Amino acid sequence: MEPDDAAARERFEELFDAHYAELTRFATRRVGPDAAGDVVSGTFLVAWRRFAQLPAEHPRAWLYATARHVIANELRARARRDRLSAKAAVGADATVADHAGQVDEHLRVRAVLAGLSPADQEVLRLTEWEGLDVAEMALVLGCSRTAVKVRLHRARRRFAARLLATEETGAHATTRLPMPSIVAEGNTSS
């Protein structure tokens, strides 16, 4: 919708006035009063951007469906923040005398990951690093949930086998494994 389209703007304002309060109550029951405003704002932002696609017969249902998606994103973000906070709290209490073993293991895991195919790397990163579930990964990868489960199972099996092989050969030192440029710290492509 073009912002200067006066008739569309008026219809959007009517939609907003008619459903703002009920969407706020809906969001408040699911995410609490602190985040409800953000959810409703996000919902109407999507509605504004996709106003031409909004069904004329059931705009209220469309708004609720959109709000559910925004709420799901908010809940996932909260869960990630909570996990990060829990890790930080555990890490703050723990005292590690020597980080060399952890660094060595970290580099070994990254090197093994770099030795996998790009498809295996992607599916492992999506699940382990990005925290996506099977349904989300299926959407990202453009395949079925079953295909994602199979790809993930096979990638994990190959990764575990290669990691075990590095333990059996005593290849804990990073000098025995090539440094992976695609998984190096700070690389934004991963």
Side-chain angles (χ1 to χ4, degrees):
M1 170 172 57
E2 291 295 320
D4 30 305
D5 184 355
R9 181 181 294 258
E10 186 177 322
R11 287 193 320 271
F12 180 81
E13 288 173 357
E14 289 171 3
L15 181 73
F16 182 88
D17 291 341
H19 301 291
Y20 177 82
E22 67 182 304
L23 284 175
T24 300
R25 288 189 298 273
F26 175 75
T28 300
R29 285 189 295 272
R30 281 152 182 79
V31 295
D34 293 340
D38 292 338
V39 167
V40 174
S41 295
T43 301
F44 279 107
L45 178 62
V46 171
W48 173 255
R49 289 180 178 162
R50 297 183 181 168
F51 195 67
Q53 301 167 357
L54 195 94
E57 294 178 10
H58 302 288
R60 180 175 180 241
W62 188 91
L63 285 170
Y64 271 88
T66 303
R68 284 184 64 236
H69 291 293
V70 175
I71 288 167
N73 290 338
E74 169 64 23
L75 295 176
R76 278 191 297 274
R78 279 186 189 179
R80 281 191 296 271
R81 283 191 303 270
D82 291 345
R83 285 192 307 269
L84 182 59
S85 294
K87 279 185 179 180
V90 168
D93 296 338
T95 303
V96 178
D98 184 11
H99 295 287
Q102 290 177 334
V103 170
D104 182 49
E105 183 67 10
H106 181 78
L107 292 174
R108 187 170 69 92
V109 166
R110 284 180 170 264
V112 169
L113 181 65
L116 296 175
S117 71
D120 283 352
Q121 290 180 38
E122 182 68 13
V123 73
L124 289 171
R125 284 184 178 133
L126 287 174
T127 188
E128 300 301 330
W129 291 2
E130 305 304 331
L132 298 182
D133 63 25
V134 171
E136 293 167 325
M137 288 173 36
L139 290 172
V140 170
L141 298 173
C143 60
S144 70
R145 291 178 185 188
T146 303
V148 167
K149 288 177 185 178
V150 170
R151 286 177 63 182
L152 183 58
H153 172 74
R154 290 177 180 167
R156 283 178 172 160
R157 190 178 64 216
R158 284 188 281 268
F159 177 81
R162 288 184 183 196
L163 192 63
L164 183 60
T166 64
E167 290 176 5
E168 291 171 354
T169 61
H172 293 281
T174 57
T175 55
R176 292 191 175 188
L177 294 171
M179 278 304 294
S181 61
I182 60 169
V183 293
E185 290 292 336
N187 187 341
T188 57
S189 66
S190 47

